[in-house]
C-alpha cells in the first residue's frame, strides 16, 4: 500500500520514536480555554498538550490477533489497547491483513456508545449509517459491533478520501459494510431507514493539536465558525434518514463549546429529541457536561488529555423522538441486482463459512456474496447513493473455477481449506506486500492463500517455479 495513504499499515515492533517540537498554541485558543475548563485545570490541560501524543490500536475481533507487548487495555473498549510507543505500522504484515486498526483511544468511545445504542435500538438486523466516515476508524469499529447481524453504510462525501475508507473496510473484511460517497442530503431523501446514525463531524481539530501540526496551523476562530455551520448543515440534511426512535451519535475531535454542547443544544431546539442515559466505565476520567434545550437535558462526554489517555474527543448520544419504531430498512422493495446461475451460487457459497447466509449476485462480470440481512440495504443504496464498494467481491469464474478477488482473502468468512496455503516469515511477507519477492520456495502450487502467522494477506499463483504475486499493485508498500 502506498505510504501516502493514511492508515496504510503498521508493525508493532520495532518501535519508532517520532520527535516533535512543543506546539505553540494560538492566543485566541488559549483565551477560549475558560469556556470549557475551570481556571484550576487550565495549567494541567496546557501541560498535557505539551506532552507526547498517544498511540493505540483496536483489534479486529474476528481475526484473533494478540494485543501487542506492553499494551494497556482501554477502559471503554474491549479490543482497544494503548501502546507505550508508536511502532512503524507499515512494517507489520498483520496490519495489512486487517488484524487491527490504529485508532485514538478516545475515538473508541464512539464504539462504546454505539454498542449501547445497538442494545437500546432493539433492531434484529440493525442498519447503521456512518455519515462522515473516512478514513474508517469509527466504521471498522461499527462493523465489528454489527458482526453478522446488521449492516453499515459508511459514507465519505469527499471523493479523494473515499478510497482509503474502502481499503480499510475491505481489509477489515466483515462483509457487512457498504461504502458510499454521497452528500448528506442524499441520505435525508431516502427516508428514515437507519436505526443509528453516527455523525463524526469535520471539525476544527483542537483535540488533535498534540498530534497533527496541520490542526494547529489551520485553527482560527473563523474556522471554528465555519465548522459549526457545516456540522449543523450536515445534521439537518441527513436528519430524515434516521428512523423515528432511532439514535444519533454526534462526535467531534475538538474542545470548544460551539461545535460541541452548543451544537447539541441547536439539535434539540430544531428537532424533536429525547435524552439517553449512558453508564460510564469507572475511573475513566471522562468529563460529563450537559446541553439542554426545550426542557431536555442531554449528557455529553468529553475526553481531555489531562484526564483521559489519548487525544481530545467530544461525543453525545440522543434519540430522535417518535414511535420507537424499529426501521432496519424493513419492508423496502427489492430491485435490480442480477442473481447468478445456480452453479455459480453453489460454487461461491462453498468458499464461505455458513455460505447459505449469503445471497450471490453478479455485476459487471464479477461475483459478489452479500449477507442476506444486508441485501435490501444494498439495493436501496444502489438506487439512491454513489456506491463505491459493496460486500463481498468474490472474483470471477473462468471455466467453472473461481479466480479469487483480494477481498476474499481478507474476510474471516472465507472457508480457508478451499485454497492451498503459503506461509511466509516476516521478511518474505514484507517482500510479498512490496511485490518484490522472487523466491518461489515458500509458495504452494497453484492459487494459494498467503499467510503471515495466522493472518491471510492475499493470494499468489505458482506455476512450475514462477510465482505470480496477486497482491494488488495499488496497495503495495512503497519506499520502506
Ligand atoms: N469518522 C472518521 C474516522 O473515524 O476515521 C473521521 C471523520 S473526520 C472527523 C470528518 C469527515 O467528514 C472527513 O472525512 C471529511 O472529509 C468529511 N466531510 C467534510 N465535509 C463534509 C461535508 N460537508 N459533509 C459530510 N462529510 C464531510
Amino acid at each position: 500500500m502506498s505510504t501516502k495513504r493514511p492508515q496504510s499499515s503498521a508493525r508493532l515492533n520495532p518501535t519508532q520514536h517520532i520527535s516533535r517540537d512543543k506546539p505553540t498554541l494560538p492566543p485566541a485558543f488559549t483565551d477560549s480555554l475558560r469556556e470549557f475548563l475551570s481556571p484550576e485545570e487550565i495549567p494541567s490541560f496546557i501541560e498535557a498538550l505539551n506532552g507526547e501524543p498517544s498511540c493505540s490500536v483496536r483489534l479486529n475481533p474476528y481475526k484473533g490477533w494478540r494485543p501487542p507487548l506492553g499494551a494497556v487495555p482501554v477502559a471503554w473498549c474491549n479490543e482497544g489497547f494503548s501502546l507505550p510507543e508508536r511502532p512503524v505500522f507499515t512494517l507489520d504484515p498483520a496490519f495489512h491483513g486487517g488484524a487491527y486498526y490504529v485508532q485514538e483511544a478516545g475515538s473508541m468511545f464512539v464504539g462504546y456508545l454505539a454498542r449501547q445504542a445497538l442494545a437500546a435500538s432493539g433492531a434484529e438486523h440493525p442498519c447503521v449509517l456512518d455519515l462522515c466516515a473516512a478514513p474508517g476508524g469509527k466504521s471498522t469499529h461499527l462493523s465489528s459491533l454489527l458482526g453478522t447481524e446488521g449492516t453499515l453504510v459508511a459514507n465519505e462525501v469527499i471523493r479523494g478520501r473515499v478510497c482509503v475508507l474502502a481499503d480499510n473496510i475491505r481489509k477489515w473484511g466483515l462483509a457487512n459494510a457498504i461504502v458510499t460517497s454521497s452528500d448528506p442530503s442524499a441520505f435525508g431523501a431516502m427516508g428514515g431507514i437507519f436505526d443509528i446514525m453516527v455523525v463524526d463531524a469535520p471539525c476544527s481539530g483542537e483535540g488533535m493539536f498534540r498530534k497533527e501540526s496541520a490542526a494547529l496551523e489551520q485553527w482560527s476562530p473563523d474556522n471554528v465558525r465555519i465548522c459549526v455551520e457545516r456540522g449543523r448543515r450536515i445534521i439537518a440534511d441527513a436528519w430524515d434518514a434516521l428512523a423515528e426512535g432511532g439514535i444519533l451519535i454526534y462526535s467531534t475531535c475538538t474542545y470548544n463549546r460551539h461545535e460541541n454542547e452548543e451544537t447539541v443544544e441547536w439539535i434539540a431546539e430544531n428537532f424533536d429529541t429525547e435524552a439517553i442515559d449512558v453508564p460510564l466505565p469507572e475511573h475513566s476520567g471522562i468529563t460529563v457536561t450537559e446541553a439542554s434545550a426545550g426542557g431536555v437535558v442531554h449528557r455529553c462526554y468529553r475526553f481531555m488529555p489531562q484526564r483521559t489517555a489519548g487525544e481530545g474527543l467530544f461525543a453525545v448520544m440522543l434519540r430522535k423522538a417518535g414511535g420507537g419504531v424499529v426501521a432496519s430498512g424493513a419492508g423496502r422493495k427489492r430491485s435490480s441486482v442480477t442473481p447468478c446461475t445456480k452453479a455459480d451460487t453453489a460454487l461461491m457459497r462453498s468458499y464461505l463459512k455458513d455460505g447459505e447466509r449469503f445471497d450471490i449476485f453478479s455485476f459487471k462480470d464479477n461475483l459478489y456474496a452479500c449477507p442476506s440481512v444486508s441485501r435490501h440495504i444494498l439495493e436501496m443504496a444502489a438506487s439512491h447513493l454513489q456506491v463505491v464498494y459493496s460486500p463481498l467481491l468474490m472474483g470471477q469464474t473462468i471455466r467453472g473455477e473461481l479466480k479469487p478477488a483480494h477481498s476474499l482473502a481478507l474476510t474471516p468468512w472465507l472457508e480457508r481449506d478451499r485454497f492451498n496455503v503459503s506461509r511466509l516469515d516476516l521478511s518474505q511477507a514484507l517482500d510479498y506486500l512490496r511485490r518484490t519477492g522472487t523466491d518461489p520456495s515458500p509458495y504452494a502450487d497453484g492459487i494459494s492463500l498467503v499467510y503471515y502467522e495466522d493472518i491471510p494477506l492475499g493470494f499468489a499463483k505458482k506455476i512450475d517455479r514462477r510465482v505470480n504475486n496477486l497482491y494488488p499493485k495499488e496497495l503495495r508498500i512503497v519506499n520502506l
Side-chain angles (χ1 to χ4, degrees), residues 5 14 102 108 138 143 174 225 228 288 330 416 428 431 444:
R5 293 180 186 217
V102 184
M108 298 174 200
K138 316 290 184 305
S143 172
L174 305 192
R225 275 190 287 279
V228 168
V288 180
R416 293 180 178 186
Q428 291 162 342
D431 279 346

Side-chain angles (χ1 to χ4, degrees), residues 25-46:
L25 300 173
F29 174 72
T30 43
D31 286 350
S32 74
L33 297 183
R34 65 186 82 103
E35 292 170 15
F36 60 88
L37 288 170
S38 66
E40 300 76 50
E41 214 166 358
I42 289 176
S44 56
F45 175 81
I46 291 178

Side-chain angles (χ1 to χ4, degrees), residues 401-402 404 418-422 440 442-450 458-470:
E401 287 195 2
L402 177 65
R418 296 290 271 114
F419 292 101
N420 293 334
V421 170
S422 297
Y443 289 92
D445 287 334
I447 293 182
S448 65
L449 187 61
V450 176
F459 291 106
K461 186 174 183 180
K462 182 175 166 187
I463 298 170
D464 299 326
R465 291 199 46 81
R466 203 173 150 269
V467 176
N468 189 6
N469 184 335
L470 300 179

Side-chain angles (χ1 to χ4, degrees), residues 401-418:
E401 287 195 2
L402 177 65
K403 184 180 166 206
H406 182 59
S407 43
L408 184 58
L410 297 174
T411 183
W413 316 135
L414 170 65
E415 197 63 80
R416 293 180 178 186
D417 297 349
R418 296 290 271 114

